[in-house]
Amino acid sequence: MPGLFIDVEVATSIRGDAELAKKLDEVCPVDIYMATSEGVQIREEQLDECVLCELCLDAAPAGAVRVIKLYDGGAALERS
Ligand code: SF4
């Protein structure tokens, strides 16, 4: 389930990457990413707390993580 305002997609190809999961868990200031033994999980209840900081985009390979602004017609957050 996406949030009301924000959804986050993690590409299947990197979802099981434990190192990347740890990195995403560390960088997101509002705890949207959770590193588990199976890789990265999304805390759905946190999605709308996203502050659009782009730190997750910087931490992941290009295009692997998408932050989708549902309030803006589904536009993806871009690295500035
Ligand atoms: S843009 Fe920032 S707040 Fe939003 S999911 Fe990525 S790291 Fe978390």
Side-chain angles (χ1 to χ4, degrees):
M1 278 275 289
L4 268 184
F5 305 109
I6 294 288
D7 195 11
V8 167
E9 290 177 0
V10 177
T12 320
S13 55
I14 57 139
R15 218 174 282 163
D17 183 328
E19 275 307 301
L20 184 58
K22 220 172 119 193
K23 214 154 112 186
L24 289 169
D25 192 331
E26 281 167 12
V27 297
C28 180
V30 293
D31 295 333
I32 286 175
Y33 302 96
M34 178 170 49
T36 73
S37 56
E38 286 157 29
V40 65
Q41 305 270 325
I42 303 293
R43 287 192 180 95
E44 292 172 355
E45 70 278 11
Q46 289 298 105
L47 282 168
D48 285 337
E49 303 299 321
C50 175
V51 292
L52 307 176
C53 67
E54 302 173 18
L55 291 174
C56 58
L57 303 187
D58 293 340
V65 168
R66 295 181 75 228
V67 176
I68 298 158
K69 299 182 275 185
L70 299 173
Y71 63 87
D72 190 15
L77 177 66
E78 304 279 350
R79 286 184 169 108
S80 53

